[in-house]
Amino acid sequence: MSTASRRTTSSRAAFPPNGAPTKITQGTRTRGGIGESTFRPDGILKVTGEFAYSSDLWHEDMLWGHILRSTVAHAEIVSLDTAEALAVPGVHAVMTYDDLPTDVRTYGLEIQDTPVLAHGKVRHHGEPVAIVAADHPETARRAAAKIRVEYRELPVVTDEASATAPDAVLVHENRADLPQSPPGSTGGPPSSATSPTPTSSTASPSSAATRPRPPRGPT
């Protein structure tokens, strides 16, 4: 058997019947020390197409997610309607900030001021607003497009000068280490509108579990 044939046979053997790669390391070991040229643990697998990326992972009855992201840079969320998304066949759940199954709903490396999902307002273009879980990725994408979000746009901070001006708009208006916006300013939504009132119920993890399961397969 030629070298080319052996390589082809070896490469094919690394793939399961459904064609998706499963390896994440090639098993090579570093022998020496300083100054030695070493292999990346995943190098050969990636250049030969055998490395298993997250999109290659699959499990029976798994659900696919799609994130609806903000289309504006800075705005109050006036309303959030998920009714049409929940009605799409194959959709199992639609989650917003209020549906998160944990008390920890913000994150950050040093200051945890970034919401997992937008709450009351969005602070940058592309901020996650809602998540759809469905039995097919295309179904999740189409359902997310049916979520209706009404925004009231707020002034955008684009440079250091506008951010540090005496009358600067506060992007994070409830931070203890920052001056707070005076009543009636444009630093964020009014206290009576700290959270949008959905015009339909969103699916919580418990309600999603009791929802009738539609047939699997592409839609």
Side-chain angles (χ1 to χ4, degrees):
M1 181 183 294
S2 67
T3 302
S5 298
R6 286 198 300 271
R7 287 177 179 172
T8 301
T9 302
S10 175
S11 177
R12 289 176 178 173
F15 291 83
N18 65 1
T22 58
K23 296 181 179 180
I24 59 174
T25 178
Q26 60 208 19
T28 58
R29 300 182 61 184
T30 301
R31 298 185 306 276
I34 297 175
E36 180 179 352
S37 179
T38 61
F39 285 109
R40 289 177 55 100
D42 55 359
I44 295 177
L45 297 176
K46 284 184 175 179
V47 299
T48 58
E50 299 176 53
F51 184 81
Y53 291 89
S54 58
S55 58
D56 295 315
L57 303 179
W58 183 87
H59 191 276
E60 185 70 29
D61 294 330
M62 68 182 283
L63 296 180
W64 299 80
H66 188 88
I67 299 175
L68 176 71
R69 298 181 180 275
S70 167
T71 56
V72 295
H74 191 203
E76 175 189 348
I77 300 177
V78 178
S79 64
L80 183 59
D81 186 353
T82 62
E84 289 188 50
L86 283 166
V88 174
V91 171
H92 289 253
V94 178
M95 297 184 68
T96 63
Y97 178 90
D98 292 330
D99 300 308
L100 295 174
T102 175
D103 293 332
V104 180
R105 301 184 178 190
T106 58
Y107 67 95
L109 291 177
E110 296 185 8
I111 301 175
Q112 294 189 346
D113 60 357
T114 303
V116 175
L117 294 173
H119 179 52
K121 66 183 292 188
V122 294
R123 295 173 172 85
H124 63 85
H125 190 283
E127 180 171 357
V129 175
I131 303 173
V132 177
D135 59 8
H136 190 275
E138 181 62 20
T139 301
R141 186 194 66 79
R142 289 192 294 107
K146 293 180 178 293
I147 298 175
R148 305 304 176 195
V149 186
E150 180 183 354
Y151 296 106
R152 181 176 69 85
E153 292 197 50
L154 300 172
V156 179
V157 178
T158 58
D159 54 51
E160 184 178 351
S162 60
T164 56
D167 59 346
V169 174
L170 294 181
V171 178
H172 295 274
E173 65 280 353
N174 295 317
R175 285 262 299 273
D177 58 335
L178 293 175
Q180 300 303 300
S181 298
S185 72
T186 56
S191 58
S192 60
T194 55
S195 176
T197 301
T199 56
S200 65
S201 298
T202 55
S204 64
S206 58
S207 62
T210 59
R211 187 185 172 105
R213 187 178 183 114
R216 285 180 50 78
T219 57

